[in-house]
Amino acid sequence: MNRKLGYSPLCSRLHVKLAFFKYTLSGNPGILNNQFHTFAKRFALSRPDKFQVINGIKTMSNIVIISASVRVGRNSHRVALYFNSYLAENRLAETEILDLKSYNFPLFGERLKYQQEPLASASLFAEKVRHADGVIIITPEYNGGYPASLKNVIDLLTDEWNKKPVAICTVSEGNFGGAQVLTSLQFTLWKMKAWTVNAMFPVPRVTQSYDENGMAADKEAADKRAAGFVGELLWCIGAKARMKK
């Protein structure tokens, strides 16, 4: 029991899940009790799991954010920018955006470990995923699915995904926040043996919710949602670290 914050690990996760579930069903942050909002934020910001011990030295977790869209005029990248700022501002993790548009990968004909002369950029991408403690994937929904650019890099890697904690954020300009893409993407990651976090972060009406620099139109509401989402990812990162001991 953490007497200072007044919660047990099990109860804290249940409270955050209940708050997030009520938000997801309603689509309206106004119906949530302020107690849930405050608890979710305190849960994420106080997580001991955001730290890792390497060679006896306590360091922050390393989380990479994969921005999946490569389209001209893409909007989902706004959410990647938001999470990058959120994690840094709250000192929850060391973070980096892996922008697939910047990588500009070709369509790969073979998995990276079997390639005779792999691209240096592909090897670097793989190393960043391998060494990350956790991954946040920001994906738009295109015609009911996730973009080919994301499938391309998921299939490129193999062992890098094994037991990797992965949180999924789906984005759309419509009212459902890319919900249709979640099942197919989660199933693909399961097949790759990734550990997908059960918290969700759907973003509907993205251009109304975030500007081009990743600033949320309602920062307080966005941060409250992010606290539960990121808190679950940090818990999985911490659990994996404990299992290794």
Side-chain angles (χ1 to χ4, degrees):
M1 174 73 72
N2 187 322
R3 298 185 182 278
K4 183 177 180 182
L5 293 176
Y7 65 80
S8 68
L10 176 60
C11 290
S12 66
R13 294 189 73 209
L14 290 174
H15 275 78
V16 172
K17 287 180 181 178
L18 179 58
F20 193 86
F21 181 65
K22 291 172 74 175
Y23 179 93
T24 303
L25 287 180
S26 68
N28 180 2
I31 76 163
L32 278 176
N33 187 294
N34 287 334
Q35 181 181 3
F36 283 120
H37 279 320
T38 303
F39 197 95
K41 185 172 184 178
R42 288 171 64 193
F43 172 71
L45 298 185
S46 62
R47 293 302 297 163
D49 308 312
K50 66 185 181 181
F51 297 105
Q52 302 288 313
V53 177
I54 302 175
N55 296 327
I57 301 174
K58 199 174 186 180
T59 62
M60 295 186 75
S61 296
N62 174 27
I63 296 176
V64 295
I65 301 168
I66 297 178
S67 183
S69 178
V70 299
R71 275 192 181 180
V72 175
R74 61 185 177 165
N75 292 313
S76 60
H77 190 66
R78 301 175 182 214
V79 187
L81 294 172
Y82 163 75
F83 272 109
N84 192 52
S85 297
Y86 174 81
L87 290 167
E89 288 172 4
N90 292 288
R91 301 188 65 214
L92 292 172
E94 296 177 349
T95 183
E96 180 182 1
I97 296 177
L98 305 184
D99 185 358
L100 298 188
K101 186 172 184 178
S102 296
Y103 278 101
N104 193 29
F105 289 132
L107 180 62
F108 293 107
E110 181 54 280
R111 290 150 293 180
L112 183 66
K113 68 179 183 180
Y114 297 120
Q115 293 178 17
Q116 297 298 315
E117 297 180 359
L119 293 174
S121 57
S123 297
L124 179 61
F125 177 85
E127 282 302 301
K128 289 179 182 294
V129 173
R130 181 189 300 276
H131 292 298
D133 298 304
V135 178
I136 297 176
I137 294 178
I138 312 293
T139 180
E141 180 185 317
Y142 293 155
N143 303 313
Y146 57 92
S149 52
L150 180 56
K151 178 64 169 168
N152 192 37
V153 297
I154 290 176
D155 290 347
L156 174 70
L157 308 183
T158 49
D159 300 335
E160 292 84 358
W161 294 118
N162 190 25
K163 297 183 177 64
K164 183 73 65 180
V166 179
I168 302 171
C169 169
T170 57
V171 180
S172 77
E173 190 57 39
N175 295 325
F176 297 104
Q180 294 181 88
V181 77
L182 181 63
T183 302
S184 58
L185 177 54
Q186 192 169 49
F187 185 76
T188 298
L189 290 167
W190 286 345
K191 296 294 286 186
M192 303 302 292
K193 301 181 181 179
W195 181 1
T196 59
V197 174
N198 57 7
M200 300 175 292
F201 199 93
V203 180
R205 301 176 293 280
V206 61
T207 55
Q208 298 176 36
S209 302
Y210 298 87
D211 69 15
E212 293 180 351
N213 298 312
M215 292 294 295
D218 187 341
K219 189 176 188 305
E220 182 179 3
D223 285 357
K224 287 170 180 176
R225 290 186 63 205
F229 179 70
V230 172
E232 279 290 297
L233 176 60
L234 290 173
W235 186 92
C236 291
I237 290 172
K240 180 181 176 182
R242 289 190 291 273
M243 285 187 288
K244 285 183 175 180
K245 293 180 180 179

